Amino acid sequence: MPMMCAVTFSPRGRLFYADPGQYSPKIGDKVLIPTDAGSEVAECIWAPQWVSEDIGGLPVLTGMAQAADLERHAVSRRRRAQARVAAKRLIREHELPMKVVGVDYIQADSMFTIYFSADHRIDFRALVRDLARTLAARIDLRQLSARDSARIQGGIGSCGRDLCCATFLTDFEPVTIRMAKDQDLPLNPMKISGACGRLMCCLRYEHPLYEQFKAEAPAVGARVRTPAGDGRVISHDVPRDQVTVKLDAGGERCSCSRASVCGSRKAYEAAHPGPDGPDGPDGPDATPAGAAAAEAGSGTLTDIAAAPLTTRDPTTAAVAAAPHNARTRRRLRRQAAYGQPDPDVPS
């Protein structure tokens, strides 16, 4: 089994996993990890341990940090602090609408990479010239999006924990307002927005669970049967895997587990593919035959099945034979009530 450890380049920053190789660092030890700019000093956050799965492609530690490496790291930190102060001062002098987010320094190439955020494109050519003259180094300015800015700066989310993007998220997946609606969350921007001002990434975490629950549980408004009697579904409780039913007798409410007593909604829709469902205008509770079929059903909490209309009234038979269209059925009923038979209806 391979071994794996976790390191970070900044306190409370993002974790990077690495192969310890022949070294055995402890928590808090400074190690050297390979990067695109050479070996950099990082702090061990997770001591090496055996993992059950074979994880390939991890960078291998190049060694333990020595005194010279720590001194070089301290110099790099001082240079980054100087570049940040100089960049903020020159941005104010040039009156540019931009905010410095982070600074990287490559000592071997004497190059600064300054990350900033702005609402629109910025003409920073004059700023780059002044920064290069002030810092006596090459300057690379890069504009970041709102999510990338939050990832670099870090922070605390509304849940009280470190931001997901600054700790373990590697890619930003699309998040839509539909996910908040499916989870019955208040559509208040202050409550569903993250530190970056965009929709919270955690809205996607539980969304597949809500989709599965919606596909399998009876819909809100559907007629169901419970041990306490027949009723209608009025709400879903996805975290508890329950549905709330308002009983016909007395109007009381009861909660039951979908996994233990609820019938499969998919099976119900496959058996009754009508567009209006069991609780439509001609649902099972609309006719005595449908009520009798519902009483004859079995199970604890199941969708009440629609029974075929059987009657000798030609008008009602015509309604039953009409297409599955609520508007057409209502029109036929009105014509039958006022004595105006429809020419398309067989007599």
Side-chain angles (χ1 to χ4, degrees), residues 195-207:
C196 59
R198 304 295 190 268
L199 292 175
M200 294 188 296
C201 297
C202 55
L203 292 178
R204 174 169 285 275
Y205 296 166
E206 298 180 356
H207 188 249

Side-chain angles (χ1 to χ4, degrees), residues 4-341:
M4 184 176 64
C5 65
V7 300
T8 181
F9 293 97
S10 61
R12 298 180 301 277
R14 182 181 173 186
L15 297 180
F16 295 88
Y17 298 98
D19 185 351
Q22 59 181 343
Y23 303 98
S24 301
K26 300 178 181 179
I27 297 178
D29 290 348
K30 303 295 183 179
V31 297
L32 295 177
I33 185 171
T35 63
D36 295 338
S39 298
E40 295 290 339
V41 177
E43 182 180 355
C44 181
I45 300 298
W46 179 15
Q49 66 178 9
W50 298 102
V51 292
S52 57
E53 299 180 0
D54 186 9
I55 303 177
L58 294 178
V60 182
L61 298 183
T62 57
M64 306 294 293
Q66 305 299 326
D69 299 321
L70 297 178
E71 179 62 25
R72 176 172 54 85
H73 181 64
V75 172
S76 177
R77 290 185 59 184
R78 287 195 296 268
R79 292 285 287 167
R80 290 199 300 268
Q82 294 173 2
R84 182 185 290 269
V85 173
K88 291 183 178 180
R89 177 176 57 83
L90 292 175
I91 287 174
R92 288 195 300 267
E93 293 179 0
H94 287 271
E95 298 181 352
L96 295 176
M98 52 191 297
K99 176 183 177 181
V100 177
V101 176
V103 179
D104 280 342
Y105 176 60
I106 302 177
Q107 189 171 4
D109 299 335
S110 185
M111 176 179 177
F112 287 96
T113 302
I114 301 177
Y115 303 95
F116 71 93
S117 61
D119 295 334
H120 50 80
R121 294 182 64 86
I122 302 294
D123 184 6
F124 48 72
R125 289 174 293 183
L127 176 63
V128 171
R129 289 194 295 267
D130 292 345
L131 280 173
R133 188 182 308 110
T134 302
L135 300 175
R138 296 169 54 194
I139 303 297
D140 181 17
L141 285 178
R142 297 185 183 180
Q143 185 172 356
L144 300 179
S145 63
R147 294 185 183 274
D148 288 327
S149 299
R151 168 188 286 182
I152 291 180
Q153 295 181 97
I156 304 297
S158 57
C159 59
R161 300 174 64 92
D162 292 336
L163 298 181
C164 299
C165 57
T167 51
F168 64 89
L169 279 185
T170 56
D171 297 321
F172 292 117
E173 298 183 2
V175 182
T176 62
I177 196 67
R178 170 59 59 185
M179 297 180 182
K181 294 181 179 179
D182 292 344
Q183 300 177 36
D184 295 330
L185 296 177
L187 301 182
N188 185 348
M190 298 298 294
K191 294 184 178 181
I192 61 176
S193 298
C196 59
R198 304 295 190 268
L199 292 175
M200 294 188 296
C201 297
C202 55
L203 292 178
R204 174 169 285 275
Y205 296 166
E206 298 180 356
H207 188 249
L209 178 63
Y210 280 81
E211 288 183 328
Q212 180 182 0
F213 188 94
K214 184 178 180 181
E216 297 178 355
V220 175
R223 300 282 303 175
V224 294
R225 171 165 297 173
T226 70
D230 296 345
R232 189 180 299 273
V233 177
I234 59 175
S235 65
H236 292 160
D237 191 349
V238 180
R240 292 187 176 90
D241 199 25
Q242 295 179 349
V243 294
T244 303
V245 180
K246 184 177 182 180
L247 301 178
D248 296 339
E252 299 179 356
R253 299 183 181 184
C254 65
S255 299
C256 60
S257 173
R258 176 189 63 87
S260 60
V261 296
C262 288
S264 173
R265 185 183 177 191
K266 291 183 178 179
Y268 172 78
E269 292 178 348
H272 309 281
D276 292 325
D279 54 342
D282 281 340
D285 53 340
T287 61
E295 294 178 359
S298 60
T300 51
L301 176 58
T302 56
D303 296 324
I304 299 179
L309 293 173
T310 56
T311 178
R312 297 186 181 184
D313 187 352
T315 304
T316 308
V319 174
H324 293 284
N325 186 293
R327 182 177 299 177
T328 302
R329 291 195 294 269
R330 287 195 295 270
R331 178 173 57 82
L332 292 176
R333 288 196 186 90
R334 288 196 298 268
Q335 291 174 352
Y338 289 99
Q340 299 177 358

